Amino acid sequence: KFYRNFLNISYIYAVAEFILFLRLLTLLEVTKSMGPMLIALKYLLTDVLKFSVLLFTTVVGTSITIYSMSVRLEKIIANGTVADLCDALESNSSLYIKMIL
């Protein structure tokens, strides 16, 4: 008896979903007043896509940089002392200054 009630509830749910889908289709009808809004929506979506690509590359680049620096610091600390770390930082800063000049 429980299964029969469950099937009835499933059928009612399926009909309700179908009706909601039909109502959603009525929202997608294109009228003359919706033309400019659809054009604006198209430009909005392209701008959002451009921004998401820019955000993705920034986050991935920053993540790679932070990870590589943490691995490098772990190797320097594992191979030597804090004095070696300071020497490595000084040599990198002098190399950076040479590259600028």
Side-chain angles (χ1 to χ4, degrees), residues 26-91:
T26 60
L27 292 176
L28 296 177
E29 290 178 3
V30 178
T31 61
K32 289 181 182 180
S33 63
M34 289 183 65
M37 187 170 58
L38 289 175
I39 293 171
L41 185 63
K42 180 182 125 182
Y43 287 124
L44 173 77
L45 288 176
T46 56
D47 289 342
V48 167
L49 182 64
K50 289 176 187 177
F51 178 75
S52 61
V53 167
L54 182 65
L55 182 66
F56 177 75
T57 54
T58 303
V59 169
V60 168
T62 305
S63 301
I64 291 171
T65 303
I66 290 172
Y67 177 74
S68 64
M69 290 302 293
S70 65
V71 168
R72 185 171 180 200
L73 286 174
E74 284 179 10
K75 286 182 181 178
I76 291 173
I77 290 171
N79 292 335
T81 61
V82 176
D84 294 335
L85 176 62
C86 293
D87 292 338
L89 290 175
E90 287 176 4
S91 66

